[in-house]
C-alpha cells in the first residue's frame, strides 16, 4: 500500500513504548497497533518527533517498523528525518523494503531561504529515491523553518513523489485555504493535507479543506470520530465532541511534557504498559499527573472513553 495524494482520515502518530529501563517494549507495540486498528485509523506514522526517533539506533528503528508492519492493516509511514542524506537513505531503504507505504521528512533548522527549502526537498527525494512517496512535515514551531504556501507549491510541483503535507503551522487555517486555492486555479496538483500539532484546530481545519489528522493525541479514536462527523456534514456534532476534549488537548500540547502526558494517558487506558520516555526525558511530576487525572475525570462525563 503505497502512500498517495488521496490519503484521508486519521494517520495516527505512534509513540515508541519503552520499559522503565529504556528498552523498547515490543509487547506494548503490538497492543498499541491493535488498539489503533480497532479505533479505525486509516494510517499510522512511526518514528516521528514524538516517537522519540532521534533516541533510537538504526537497527532499533527498523525493528520498531517491522514490528508495527506485522500487525497493521493500514498504510504505515515512517519518519526518516536525519542531519544527513546518508542516514536518511539507509533508513528509507530498509523500511520501504520491509513494506512501509512512504516516509516523512522534516526540514533541518539550518534552512533560512525559500530556495534552500525547495532545494533541500528536491535533494532529499533524489537521495532516497524519487519513487519513494514522501510527506512534507511543516512544523515551524519546532523546526524554525517557515514554509509559505508558495514554497510548498514549489516543492509539490518539483517533486512527483510528494504526496502529503503534514500541516503543523500555527496559525495555519489560512495556509490550508491558500493551498486549496492553488489547486482550484490549477497552479498546484492535488495533495493530501493532514494536520498535526496535537490537532488544536482540527474542527475548523477540516472545514478549510484538510483531509484529516496526522497527530498522536491520547484519544485518537476521538479524532477518528471528529473527522468522520465533519466529512459527513455533521458540523455541530463534530464540534461538540471536539470541544469536550479541548482542555486535555491543550494540556497535552505543552512543549516538553506533552509527550509524557500522552504516554501517561495511554498507559492509563491500557494501551501501553509504561509511560516511560527514553533518556533524555523525564516523567510527569505528581502535580502534573494529578492535573491530568482531574481532566480525565471531567472529560469522562462527556465521553465514556475517558473512564479509565
Amino acid at each position: 500500500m503505497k502512500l498517495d495524494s488521496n490519503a484521508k482520515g486519521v494517520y495516527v502518530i505512534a509513540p515508541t513504548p519503552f520499559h522503565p529501563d529504556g528498552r523498547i517494549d515490543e509487547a506494548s507495540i503490538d497492543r498499541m497497533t491493535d488498539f489503533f486498528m480497532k479505533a479505525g485509523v486509516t494510517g499510522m506514522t512511526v518514528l516521528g518527533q514524538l516517537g522519540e526517533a532521534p533516541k533510537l539506533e538504526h537497527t532499533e528503528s527498523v525493528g520498531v517498523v517491522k514490528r508495527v508492519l506485522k500487525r497493521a492493516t493500514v498504510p504505515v509511514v515512517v519518519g526518516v528525518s536525519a542531519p544527513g542524506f546518508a542516514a536518511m537513505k539507509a533508513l528509507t531503504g530498509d523500511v520501504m523494503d520491509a513494506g512501509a507505504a512512504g516516509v516523512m521528512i522534516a526540514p533541518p533548522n539550518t534552512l533560512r531561504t525559500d530556495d534552500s527549502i525547495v532545494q533541500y526537498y528536491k535533494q532529499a527525494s533524489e537521495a532516497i529515491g524519487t519513487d519513494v512517496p514522501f510527506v512534507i512535515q511543516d512544523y515551524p514551531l519546532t523546526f524554525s523553518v517557515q514554509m509559505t504556501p508558495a514554497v510548498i507549491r514549489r516543492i509539490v510541483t518539483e517533486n512527483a513523489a510528494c504526496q502529503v503535507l503534514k500541516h503543523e503551522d500555527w496559525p495555519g487555517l489560512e495556509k490550508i485555504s491558500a493551498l486549496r486555492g492553488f489547486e482550484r486555479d490549477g497552479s498546484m496538483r492535488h495533495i493530501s493535507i493532514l494536520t498535526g500539532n496535537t490537532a488544536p484546530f482540527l474542527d475548523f481545519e477540516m472545514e478549510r479543506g484538510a483531509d484529516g489528522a496526522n497527530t498522536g493525541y491520547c484519544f485518537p479514536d476521538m479524532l477518528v470520530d471528529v473527522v468522520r462527523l465533519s466529512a459527513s456534514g455533521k458540523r455541530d456534532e463534530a464540534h461538540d465532541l471536539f470541544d469536550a476534549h479541548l482542555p486535555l488537548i491543550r494540556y497535552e500540547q505543552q512543549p516538553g511534557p506533552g509527550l509524557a502526558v500522552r504516554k501517561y494517558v495511554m498507559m492509563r487506558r491500557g494501551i501501553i504498559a509504561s509511560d516511560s520516555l527514553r533518556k533524555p526525558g523525564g516523567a510527569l511530576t505528581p502535580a502534573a499527573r494529578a492535573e491530568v487525572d482531574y481532566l480525565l475525570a471531567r472529560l469522562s462525563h462527556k465521553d465514556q472513553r475517558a473512564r479509565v
Side-chain angles (χ1 to χ4, degrees), residues 18-303:
F18 295 104
H19 292 289
D21 62 5
R23 291 177 297 118
I24 293 173
D25 183 351
E26 294 183 340
S28 285
I29 291 176
D30 293 347
R31 189 163 56 250
M32 176 183 68
T33 304
D34 290 345
F35 169 79
F36 289 150
M37 297 305 102
K38 186 177 179 180
V41 303
T42 50
M44 285 181 64
T45 299
V46 297
L47 306 183
Q49 289 294 309
L50 292 186
E52 300 180 76
K55 303 176 186 178
L56 273 63
E57 297 178 357
H58 178 88
T59 54
E60 289 181 315
S61 297
V62 175
V64 168
V65 174
K66 288 182 175 179
R67 192 89 189 185
V68 169
L69 286 168
K70 285 181 179 179
R71 306 178 82 89
T73 57
V74 298
V76 175
V77 177
V78 180
V80 296
S81 304
F85 291 143
M88 185 185 296
K89 179 180 179 180
L91 183 55
T92 298
D94 285 346
V95 300
M96 293 302 293
D97 286 346
V103 300
M104 180 172 68
I105 303 173
N109 61 11
T110 53
L111 303 179
R112 287 293 177 267
T113 67
D114 292 352
D115 288 343
S116 66
I117 297 168
V118 175
Q119 181 185 50
Y120 178 81
Y121 275 96
K122 186 173 182 60
Q123 291 179 344
S125 184
E126 291 171 348
I128 64 175
T130 55
D131 60 331
V132 177
F134 72 85
V135 178
I136 306 170
Q137 186 172 10
D138 179 21
Y139 196 7
L141 299 177
T142 292
F143 303 127
S144 302
V145 177
Q146 298 290 337
M147 298 190 202
T148 65
V151 164
I152 293 170
R153 177 172 57 183
R154 287 178 60 189
I155 296 171
V156 172
T157 300
E158 296 184 18
N159 297 277
C162 180
Q163 303 295 331
V164 179
L165 170 68
K166 183 180 182 184
H167 171 66
E168 302 192 90
D169 203 349
W170 190 13
L173 293 174
E174 299 302 333
K175 179 178 280 188
I176 296 174
S177 293
L179 292 169
R180 291 309 188 208
F182 292 157
E183 292 183 21
R184 286 192 297 271
D185 68 24
S187 63
M188 188 182 81
R189 63 178 169 83
H190 173 75
I191 59 167
S192 170
I193 299 177
L194 302 174
T195 64
N197 197 24
T198 320
F201 296 99
L202 178 62
D203 45 358
F204 288 111
E205 287 167 339
M206 289 295 297
E207 295 172 11
R208 290 292 189 111
D211 294 295
N214 187 197
T215 191
Y217 173 58
C218 54
F219 285 89
D221 35 347
M222 179 279 290
L223 300 178
V224 170
D225 287 343
V226 168
V227 170
R228 173 181 53 80
L229 289 167
S230 182
S232 61
K234 297 180 179 179
R235 185 185 194 193
D236 289 344
E237 291 182 46
H239 280 267
D240 287 344
L241 176 57
F242 190 74
D243 289 350
H245 282 258
L246 271 176
L248 184 55
I249 289 174
R250 178 189 66 179
Y251 200 92
E252 192 192 284
Q253 197 189 31
Q254 297 177 83
L259 178 58
V261 173
R262 181 174 301 174
K263 282 192 163 184
Y264 174 64
V265 175
M266 292 180 73
M267 180 184 69
R268 286 204 53 188
R269 298 188 73 190
I271 301 168
I272 58 177
S274 170
D275 61 349
S276 298
L277 277 66
R278 179 174 276 190
K279 297 178 181 178
L284 295 179
T285 64
R289 287 193 177 208
E291 289 164 349
V292 174
D293 291 341
Y294 175 70
L295 289 170
L296 287 171
R298 287 178 58 82
L299 178 60
S300 67
H301 298 297
K302 300 177 182 179
D303 191 339

